[in-house]
Amino acid sequence: MVALTLATGGAGAADPDPLLVTPVAADLGVVPAGSVAELEFDVANHGDEAVRLRYIHGECDCTLRVPVAGHVAAGGEFVLRATLDLDGVDAGPFEELITILTDHFRQTELWIPITAQVLASPDARTIQTAKD
């Protein structure tokens, strides 16, 4: 199941959250069961200090593989690469969530939702999603 959503804390316009994830979500559309999707998200740090991505986790490790941690320098970017494996997933709506825990006091959590409509199909294929 795949659903990734990005949510950030709201500190106000004068003191914005440092991290921005692009794209903020992944909708894979209609995909056959057994498909594998390679996903990429840019995590940009617009703040003045480095931010440690303490823990990156998919809701279900059985379908979604992500790195366990990362680091984003001030003004830098981190490319989050995730692999979604729909082998054994039932046909129908699919949702998964990537959670990122950080060491930043204003933005301790980010969420990236992933959604798809899984079709019953014996033909597996690989899906490559482009970054925005």
Side-chain angles (χ1 to χ4, degrees):
M1 296 171 197
V2 177
L4 300 180
T5 309
L6 172 68
T8 62
D15 201 11
D17 292 331
L19 298 179
L20 176 65
V21 176
T22 307
V24 297
D27 181 359
L28 302 178
V30 178
V31 297
S35 295
V36 175
E38 301 295 332
L39 306 166
E40 284 192 0
F41 302 90
D42 282 330
V43 182
N45 182 351
H46 297 282
D48 297 333
E49 298 178 16
V51 175
R52 186 171 150 240
L53 307 178
R54 296 183 308 123
Y55 185 65
I56 305 170
H57 180 71
E59 243 177 347
C60 179
D61 290 330
C62 60
T63 57
L64 186 64
R65 290 180 298 283
V66 295
V68 294
H71 179 85
V72 189
E77 290 187 5
F78 174 84
V79 177
L80 171 58
R81 291 182 177 89
T83 300
L84 177 66
D85 186 349
L86 297 174
D87 187 33
V89 172
D90 293 334
F94 177 82
E95 296 181 355
E96 179 68 79
L97 187 65
I98 293 176
T99 299
I100 303 171
L101 302 179
T102 81
D103 69 350
H104 195 275
F105 68 97
R106 268 193 332 270
Q107 195 176 26
T108 58
E109 292 183 309
L110 299 156
W111 300 278
I112 305 169
I114 300 169
T115 57
Q117 181 66 35
V118 179
L119 290 180
S121 171
D123 300 325
R125 63 188 181 104
T126 298
I127 304 161
Q128 181 73 34
T129 61
K131 296 184 287 184
D132 286 351

